[in-house]
Amino acid sequence: MLRNETEARRTFIAAWCAVLAVKCVLATHLPLFVDEAFYWQEGMHPAWAYSDLPGLTAWLTRIGVTLFGRDALGLRIPFLLLAAAVPWLVARVTAREFGATAGWQAAVFALLLPLAGTLGLLAVPDAAMAVATLLCMDACARLLRNVSAGAAVELAAGLALGAFSHYRFIAVIAVGFLVLLLMPEGRRALRDPRMWIAIAFGAAAWTPLVAWNMDNAEAGLRFQLVDRHPWAFHIDGIQFLLVQSLLVTPLLLLAMAVAAWRFGRDPRPAPRFFALLGGLVVLGFFALGFFADTERVSFHWPLQGFIALLPLLPSLLDRWPRWLRFATGMLAAVGLVLMLGYYAAVSMPRLRETTATTRWYPGNFAGWQKLATQTRRLLHGMPKGTRIVADDFKIGAELGFALGNPRIAVLPHPLNRKHGRAPQLGLWGLREEQVDRSRHPVLLVVGASEVQLRELPARYHELCERVGPLPAPRTISIDHGRQRFLLFALPRLKKAGPGKGDCTTPSIAWIQQPSINDKVGRRFGVHGWAFKDGIGLRAIWVTVDGRRVARAEYGLPSIGPKMIWPFSNDPQHPNIGYRAQVDLEDMLKGRHWLGLWLIGRDGSVEPWSEVPIDLE
């Protein structure tokens, strides 16, 4: 530990400047995450509250793009500034209770804690919640000593900031209030009217969110508290604990656990308050992990609890052997570097595509810039006044940000409900049940990789019901097809409603052999099935690394797909199987990507997702 105040301050300032510089560079190049794009869209529709969040995050995105430009960095600057304030607030809170040297030491750990050190890289609510938590902590530490008007105002500001940030801040409020009731000093403070004025001010800040839910059948509350959670015990909660140990780093997590235990019985009120607040918030979210949502991102939930424990670390670590203190700091630094490195890798297409076949593939970051470029090109060749319609809220928000259009209509999609965005799209009048092509041509943008293969044919037929037969698409394949978008140029119709005719859909295929990561020789066979509802396929080419290497024999019997999807109307059923012999004598050994080009009878050429193979 840094025992000298001057040394500790200089170390912190140097580290703070370095981390902030790295985050600014990453924030410039990191593709927009889908939630960031939707928060921007909310910011372009100003309101006090929205279906998924209170208003603050959307307001900050609006301020960012207005003052600094409509790009990734401009959007994120307000969040980077809030995150940059977090270590300074930690230093202030800690210094009051443990001295200036401890304050700077705790501020260093606020930078090294990976979850806190990466705050602000994304335009999401966590940076504002971290600031709100620290304001409330600082105010309560002062109020536990002596109630004053200044401390009450600070508490009111922290409570209001948290209320405008996220539903999840309720956990900090509930645990903080419980801890105050458990402590004699807290009960004394609660007898003062100024304390209740601050609490009342903080409670009033929830009014817009409560009003929104009352006006919209509690849609936001139901999503946050009911719809997104199974509320049944599942063993996946163990994974949540393991992820936390990696993201916080094991030794730092151990130090925080020990600090919460030891200082929870400290005679001094402020350290005891920090320990109980942080420990109970973290334990609460750890327990929640066994019952709550595991499909969406949740690793950041306990962050406010860890922040509450930061002021206790210097005093605890002073009692540890020097080697263990050093190991704790170094392991935390490695964790921070790895997390920043992850965001750097996501920013680089060549590195990102290496994860294309893994569960760690960052799909919510991938492909949006290429999609926007291709959309602009296709729009340029379509009649003036062509309207964009997106398949789901992700595409609508990301394309909206890239094109500067927050009014892109969105079709009903399971993703809109899954992420709690369907009610908000309805309020904006952007939820398009059936595409009207009687006034303008339409460019329909579909995310083919957002639906599992088993559900994909049904989704395509649902699109037919809404827009009519689908013409030959322009396929955009990113990262070997892990992310696929289909663009359909739909001409204007004389009458309202979908176009007439049998449902024609994009092609669907499956490579049965070889499988993912199979080792193959220079000559090997490829077989599987493929179909295109409405008109059928004319030919299939096998590709390796995007180059055609063999024309497949098509039309072999394959009854499985018709049994799985009895509504499929490809006229060639059941003869939709294919096989080919591939000769790769001229290729180097190692990793290659095997794919298909599906040639429709309408002349469409649709690349299918590639699978990795190892050439021996």
Side-chain angles (χ1 to χ4, degrees):
M1 293 293 291
L2 303 167
R3 297 186 180 278
N4 179 276
E5 179 186 346
T6 302
E7 181 187 359
R9 183 177 67 251
R10 289 175 178 173
T11 300
F12 162 70
I13 293 174
W16 181 82
C17 291
V19 170
L20 181 58
V22 170
K23 289 200 294 186
C24 287
V25 172
L26 288 176
T28 302
H29 298 284
L30 184 67
L32 216 63
F33 189 71
V34 291
D35 285 349
E36 295 180 279
F38 194 78
Y39 298 150
W40 166 83
Q41 192 173 17
E42 289 178 330
M44 301 305 292
H45 296 84
W48 286 99
Y50 303 90
S51 66
D52 54 343
L53 286 177
L56 180 62
T57 302
W59 306 339
L60 290 174
T61 63
R62 182 68 177 268
I63 291 170
V65 296
T66 301
L67 296 181
F68 307 106
R70 185 172 48 81
D71 55 26
L73 180 61
L75 182 79
R76 291 163 175 160
I77 281 178
F79 301 87
L80 286 167
L81 294 175
L82 281 171
V86 167
W88 293 92
L89 288 172
V90 170
R92 175 188 173 186
V93 172
T94 308
R96 178 179 291 116
E97 305 303 326
F98 300 98
T101 302
W104 298 120
Q105 292 170 347
V108 170
F109 276 104
L111 289 171
L112 296 182
L113 176 65
L115 286 174
T118 54
L119 278 176
L121 262 179
L122 301 181
V124 294
D126 297 272
M129 282 201 294
V131 172
T133 299
L134 287 163
L135 289 176
C136 292
M137 287 171 55
D138 187 49
C140 286
R142 296 167 62 190
L143 291 164
L144 288 170
R145 284 197 180 91
N146 181 41
V147 177
S148 66
V153 169
E154 184 181 20
L155 177 62
L159 291 173
L161 183 64
F164 280 115
S165 298
H166 201 283
Y167 287 88
R168 203 166 55 248
F169 194 73
I170 294 172
V172 176
I173 295 174
V175 173
F177 189 73
L178 174 63
V179 172
L180 288 176
L181 288 175
L182 292 174
M183 298 174 60
E185 299 88 349
R187 294 193 294 272
R188 175 188 55 78
L190 287 170
R191 297 189 190 103
D192 193 294
R194 289 169 293 185
M195 188 78 163
W196 285 102
I197 292 172
I199 293 172
F201 185 86
W206 293 93
T207 302
L209 197 60
V210 172
W212 189 95
N213 278 279
M214 291 178 67
D215 289 341
N216 294 277
E218 295 81 39
L221 278 171
R222 282 190 290 105
F223 171 72
Q224 294 288 348
L225 302 179
V226 180
D227 295 344
R228 69 177 294 183
H229 303 293
W231 294 124
F233 180 80
H234 52 79
I235 201 64
D236 290 347
I238 293 177
Q239 294 183 9
F240 184 81
L241 303 183
L242 294 175
V243 168
Q244 290 302 312
S245 69
L246 293 176
L247 292 177
V248 179
T249 67
L251 288 177
L252 195 54
L253 183 62
L254 175 64
M256 289 186 169
V258 174
W261 176 259
R262 288 186 178 177
F263 285 96
R265 300 187 300 275
D266 196 282
R268 295 167 295 177
R272 189 161 77 252
F273 177 80
F274 299 158
L276 293 173
L277 173 65
L280 291 176
V281 167
V282 171
L283 282 176
F285 281 117
F286 278 13
L288 187 64
F290 288 93
F291 299 89
D293 178 16
T294 58
E295 296 184 19
R296 282 146 286 230
V297 175
S298 59
F299 63 79
H300 57 302
W301 287 357
L303 175 59
Q304 316 314 317
F306 292 132
I307 286 175
L309 296 172
L310 284 172
L312 309 177
L313 283 178
S315 296
L316 174 77
L317 294 177
D318 272 344
R319 306 174 187 177
W320 284 17
R322 183 176 179 179
W323 68 268
L324 189 53
R325 295 198 302 266
F326 178 79
T328 302
M330 287 302 298
L331 195 57
V334 169
L336 175 63
V337 170
L338 288 176
M339 282 199 70
L340 294 173
Y342 166 80
Y343 288 115
V346 168
S347 305
M348 301 176 187
R350 287 188 178 275
L351 292 178
R352 189 184 63 228
E353 71 179 20
T354 60
T355 65
T357 59
T358 72
R359 61 177 297 189
W360 310 111
Y361 177 73
N364 285 325
F365 287 102
W368 305 115
Q369 294 171 344
K370 188 174 181 180
L371 174 63
T373 299
Q374 293 297 323
T375 300
R376 288 191 191 95
R377 290 177 181 173
L378 196 54
L379 277 175
H380 184 71
M382 294 185 70
K384 187 177 181 179
T386 296
R387 200 164 57 95
I388 300 175
V389 175
D391 184 32
D392 59 64
F393 85 92
K394 294 182 178 182
I395 295 173
E398 289 280 0
L399 272 184
F401 183 83
L403 304 178
N405 180 10
R407 298 287 306 171
I408 292 177
V410 177
L411 294 176
H413 195 286
L415 282 178
N416 303 341
R417 298 190 301 274
K418 178 180 177 180
H419 294 272
R421 271 62 191 263
Q424 193 61 60
L425 293 169
L427 289 174
W428 291 336
L430 299 182
R431 190 170 60 194
E432 189 141 337
E433 297 290 339
Q434 192 173 74
V435 178
D436 183 4
R437 297 161 56 188
S438 63
R439 296 184 179 182
H440 306 280
V442 169
L443 176 58
L444 176 64
V445 185
V446 173
S449 50
E450 291 291 355
V451 179
Q452 293 184 357
L453 180 64
R454 192 175 185 89
E455 283 78 41
L456 195 55
R459 179 61 186 169
Y460 286 159
H461 278 258
E462 184 181 347
L463 289 175
C464 281
E465 294 175 4
R466 299 186 188 281
V467 305
L470 298 169
R474 176 177 294 185
T475 303
I476 303 172
S477 182
I478 294 104
D479 297 333
H480 304 292
R482 177 63 185 266
Q483 193 84 309
R484 294 175 71 243
F485 299 101
L486 305 175
L487 277 63
F488 301 92
L490 305 174
R492 182 177 177 181
L493 299 177
K494 294 182 179 180
K495 296 182 180 180
K500 304 299 182 182
D502 294 335
C503 181
T504 303
T505 73
S507 305
I508 292 176
W510 181 253
I511 301 174
Q512 289 181 282
Q513 193 68 31
S515 300
I516 293 176
N517 295 324
D518 268 4
K519 294 181 178 180
V520 298
R522 295 290 179 177
R523 295 180 178 87
F524 61 94
V526 178
H527 68 88
W529 50 258
F531 63 91
K532 183 177 178 68
D533 277 354
I535 55 174
L537 292 171
R538 178 166 55 85
I540 295 177
W541 283 90
V542 177
T543 66
V544 174
D545 298 336
R547 191 185 78 182
R548 293 189 302 178
V549 294
R551 178 165 180 165
E553 178 187 357
Y554 184 64
L556 305 176
S558 182
I559 62 173
K562 186 65 174 177
M563 296 176 64
I564 299 172
W565 302 293
F567 54 83
S568 177
N569 63 347
D570 186 314
Q572 298 180 102
H573 276 302
N575 300 316
I576 60 167
Y578 68 86
R579 67 185 173 200
Q581 283 298 122
V582 176
D583 186 340
L584 300 181
E585 288 292 343
D586 60 338
M587 285 197 176
L588 298 175
K589 293 181 179 181
R591 174 60 56 96
H592 295 277
W593 291 86
L594 177 73
L596 302 173
W597 282 4
L598 309 170
I599 315 299
R601 289 182 171 179
D602 58 354
S604 62
V605 179
E606 302 174 45
W608 189 250
S609 300
E610 299 173 325
V611 297
I613 55 173
D614 292 313
L615 184 61
E616 295 183 319

